[in-house]
Amino acid sequence: DNSEVGKSHRNMGYFWSGLSAGVMAGGLGNYFYFVGVTSISTTNRQIVYALCAGVTVLASLLAGFGISEIKGRDSHKTTADVTYVKIDESNGEDDSVMKVDESSIGDDVVIMPKEDGDKKEGMDGDELNNSFSDFIVWFKMMARRPVFWLHFVPLIYTGFICAYFYKMFPTAIPSISNQRKLIPLTTVVIGGSNLVGSATSNIISRWITPTACIVLSGLLILVAMILSILIFPKEAFSQILEIGAAETFIKGGIVHLMVISALIGLGDSMFAVIYDTAIGRLFDKKTSFGYSINTLVYHLMYGIGMFSPTLFDIHSYCYITMVTVVASCLALAVGLKQYVRE
């Protein structure tokens, strides 16, 4: 239902809006809880960890109930699982094989059992179960399609931009300001910007093409990376620097940090809505398989981004991220354009 024409982009926007609201709420909670705190105690950590664990358990329960409801609703559908039928010769028609809706089967139709080998042929996700062996079958079928490999390109960008915002950016902030409230404040800003970007993606898609949305989101991220290069010293996330001691292109301040947070939030959320919508259409009826391998590759890229301070300075990291942004926009706008369009 989520991948149907006219619904997929809208529903993905709803998902990212909800996720962004959670990020903003968490950032606000951190901001007000730690305001005025000079050192984080064991009690502070225990309270935060307990809240995170509680929210995780609640989210898991809600997801479980939601999945059960969907499965229960699907079990009442009358459509057969790609059932092969044979028309009786007594009605004067030739023998043939076709796919039908179970509700249309009459007395003059004989249901033919499917062979196990037939089940593995074709690209229809309904013919595969959620088992590891069928996942291998699905992967082999998808691996023959160039667009399947192309869809991994944006995951490099996604992993690197998340690693930048959640590790590199907070680590670099003390090199231009010693105000402790800035780090949680940037989380609030990016959460709010994500929320606006998710909603904006849904709204502006009514007037401009998906390709234009992709280009706009890419430009926002590129500006954020360029601004980061201008205000942060090269060694900003590999060592603790005294404020003003290292050379920068321009003198950075709170305004620059908020602008970078807002640009990343807006650009990344707009890009994510379009990308997730496109790969949902690519995976079609086996999104469970698709998003599983998608998540695996994303976390691999995220992990590489997290360990990058041992390999690159912050400027080099931003340049690499800019290259991944351009490559991702091209992959979506050109290589996956048939899945980007509604």
Side-chain angles (χ1 to χ4, degrees):
D1 177 72
N2 285 337
S3 296
E4 289 182 7
V5 176
K7 293 183 179 180
S8 53
H9 190 276
R10 179 203 65 186
N11 292 346
M12 194 58 68
Y14 289 158
F15 166 77
W16 275 99
S17 295
L19 181 65
S20 304
V23 172
M24 185 170 63
L28 284 170
N30 272 336
Y31 178 79
F32 288 110
Y33 180 69
F34 288 106
V35 65
V37 175
T38 56
S39 62
I40 300 176
S41 65
T42 301
T43 302
N44 293 141
R45 288 187 169 87
Q46 289 175 343
I47 292 174
V48 172
Y49 294 158
L51 285 172
C52 291
V55 171
T56 301
V57 171
L58 179 60
S60 300
L61 291 174
L62 290 173
F65 289 138
I67 293 172
S68 298
E69 181 184 349
I70 293 171
K71 287 184 175 179
R73 187 168 62 244
D74 290 344
S75 65
H76 290 87
K77 291 182 178 179
T78 59
T79 302
D81 180 18
V82 194
T83 305
Y84 285 81
V85 300
K86 184 177 181 181
I87 300 177
D88 194 317
E89 295 180 3
S90 61
N91 60 8
E93 297 183 21
D94 295 332
D95 291 349
S96 61
V97 177
M98 62 181 182
K99 298 176 184 179
V100 299
D101 194 345
E102 191 176 272
S103 61
S104 68
I105 297 176
D107 296 334
D108 60 338
V109 175
V110 178
I111 299 178
M112 304 296 291
K114 278 179 60 178
E115 299 294 336
D116 289 340
D118 295 336
K119 176 181 179 182
K120 306 302 181 184
E121 297 179 0
M123 294 299 294
D124 194 341
D126 283 345
E127 299 181 16
L128 299 174
N129 297 318
N130 290 322
S131 64
F132 183 74
S133 60
D134 278 3
F135 168 76
I136 298 299
V137 172
W138 173 86
F139 182 81
K140 289 179 179 178
M141 292 189 298
M142 293 296 291
R144 295 196 291 265
R145 306 170 65 185
V147 290
F148 176 70
W149 298 104
L150 190 62
H151 100 275
F152 288 121
V153 173
L155 291 178
I156 304 173
Y157 149 73
T158 305
F160 269 59
I161 196 67
C162 286
Y164 175 78
F165 188 79
Y166 289 111
K167 182 178 181 181
M168 288 67 180
F169 189 57
T171 305
I173 287 176
S175 66
I176 61 175
S177 176
N178 58 4
Q179 296 187 44
R180 295 177 179 270
K181 65 180 181 180
L182 282 181
I183 295 177
L185 190 57
T186 57
T187 306
V188 176
V189 173
I190 195 172
S193 301
N194 267 324
L195 188 59
V196 173
S198 303
T200 301
S201 179
N202 267 356
I203 296 171
I204 65 175
S205 63
R206 302 173 185 175
W207 296 289
I208 67 174
T209 64
T211 301
C213 288
I214 294 170
V215 172
L216 177 59
S217 64
L219 287 175
L220 293 174
I221 299 296
L222 289 176
V223 173
M225 293 297 99
I226 293 172
L227 189 55
S228 297
I229 293 171
L230 293 176
I231 68 170
F232 289 130
K234 280 189 175 182
E235 304 80 10
F237 66 45
S238 59
Q239 56 184 291
I240 303 299
L241 301 174
E242 184 179 347
I243 297 174
E247 183 179 354
T248 59
F249 290 101
I250 62 174
K251 184 179 180 180
I254 297 176
V255 174
H256 298 96
L257 298 176
M258 296 302 106
V259 170
I260 291 173
S261 302
L263 289 173
I264 292 177
L266 288 170
D268 188 53
S269 58
M270 292 175 64
F271 183 88
V273 170
I274 298 173
Y275 174 68
D276 287 345
T277 302
I279 62 174
R281 294 169 185 158
L282 171 64
F283 299 144
D284 196 21
K285 298 182 180 177
K286 268 303 167 192
T287 53
S288 57
F289 288 166
Y291 281 117
S292 295
I293 194 169
N294 190 270
T295 303
L296 179 65
V297 175
Y298 158 71
H299 282 96
L300 176 62
M301 294 297 102
Y302 183 50
I304 293 174
M306 281 292 192
F307 285 104
S308 62
T310 59
L311 303 174
F312 311 110
D313 58 62
I314 192 169
H315 290 185
S316 299
Y317 188 91
C318 290
Y319 287 130
I320 293 172
T321 303
M322 290 167 69
V323 172
T324 66
V325 170
V326 175
S328 299
C329 289
L330 289 174
L332 267 183
V334 180
L336 298 170
K337 60 182 179 181
Q338 68 269 40
Y339 301 103
V340 170
R341 296 170 181 169
E342 193 70 64

